[in-house]
Amino acid sequence: MYIGTKVLLRAYKEEDIEKILSFVNDFEVKKLLDSNTPFPISKWEEEVWIKKNRGIDSLTYDFAIEEISTGNIIGGCSINSVNVKNRNCTIGIMIGDKNYWGKGYGYDALSILIKFIFEECNIEKIKLSVFSLNPRAIACYKKLGFKEEGRLKREIYREGKYHDEILMALFREEYFNNIKDNN
């Protein structure tokens, strides 16, 4: 378990399945998660995903995001793919409980995840992608020090319009320099 100021990152529990399922089947949440058609998933599919043992014998890690004061699960974040040779990884985050949007919970969760990646996993570069229709997330990533590395124009189609996919990255040295500058 890794603790921030507002949230903690922990392993998923079986009792999280219903809540996570409600998050990933909410259209407003799902449309921001991936470029595929926002199609609902079944409880069985979510159970299989949560019950798999990621992080033990693999290079991927999935964390539930729990709000500290209430103990409620509000989303999840993950290290999705790790390239050991090149020391880079791709991350993702979902704040599924919309009551927590725009209040710094995603920022806190990512701060914890970034620290874990750089200090425990010995990674050099963290990558992510975000859709241009998600200005809240873009602002959060920039505040954490991520910089745009590229843009895939008109990459996804949502609600009758095309949107860009923005590729962003944060380097280890920049992260530690930023911490030093803020202390």
Side-chain angles (χ1 to χ4, degrees):
M1 178 177 334
Y2 299 93
I3 302 172
T5 56
K6 295 181 173 213
V7 300
L8 60 86
L9 305 185
R10 62 163 173 79
Y12 281 99
K13 302 174 188 172
E14 193 166 346
E15 55 266 28
D16 296 332
I17 292 170
E18 290 291 337
K19 185 59 103 173
I20 293 296
L21 184 64
S22 73
F23 295 157
V24 298
N25 280 331
D26 179 317
F27 179 78
E28 204 173 348
V29 174
K30 191 155 189 104
K31 74 179 184 180
L32 303 173
L33 293 179
D34 67 49
S35 60
N36 295 324
T37 302
F39 187 79
I41 65 168
S42 69
K43 183 178 179 184
W44 175 80
E45 289 169 303
E46 191 62 23
E47 285 175 352
V48 167
W49 185 83
I50 285 181
K51 289 179 180 179
K52 67 184 167 197
N53 291 323
R54 296 180 78 176
I56 295 171
D57 292 324
S58 74
L59 295 173
T60 58
Y61 299 86
D62 294 311
F63 295 97
I65 302 172
E66 182 178 300
E67 200 270 330
I68 290 175
S69 65
T70 63
N72 292 335
I73 184 168
I74 64 169
C77 60
S78 59
I79 304 170
N80 298 317
S81 60
V82 176
N83 183 313
V84 175
K85 178 192 174 295
N86 298 310
R87 294 181 46 221
N88 63 55
C89 70
T90 303
I91 63 169
I93 184 168
M94 169 196 64
I95 300 297
D97 188 329
K98 293 181 278 190
N99 294 315
Y100 294 90
W101 285 11
K103 297 178 181 171
Y105 289 90
Y107 178 88
D108 192 42
L110 283 174
S111 296
I112 301 163
L113 186 65
I114 291 166
K115 183 177 180 185
F116 172 78
I117 291 168
F118 286 140
E119 294 183 359
E120 300 301 326
C121 301
N122 194 26
I123 295 294
E124 174 63 23
K125 177 182 181 180
I126 301 172
K127 303 181 290 184
L128 59 81
S129 70
V130 60
F131 305 136
S132 59
L133 61 93
N134 195 350
R136 257 188 343 271
I138 295 166
C140 176
Y141 301 145
K142 286 180 178 178
K143 186 176 175 184
L144 286 160
F146 282 86
K147 293 186 173 66
E148 185 173 326
E149 288 199 314
R151 185 176 286 255
L152 304 173
K153 299 285 189 181
R154 299 172 48 112
E155 185 71 10
I156 68 156
Y157 188 73
R158 287 286 185 275
E159 300 175 313
K161 295 194 298 196
Y162 284 97
H163 304 274
D164 297 349
E165 182 175 358
I166 302 166
L167 310 175
M168 301 182 85
L170 175 64
F171 289 89
R172 175 187 200 84
E173 182 179 349
E174 292 171 354
Y175 167 78
F176 285 113
N177 286 340
N178 189 36
I179 288 176
K180 212 178 340 176
D181 293 344
N182 291 329
N183 287 331

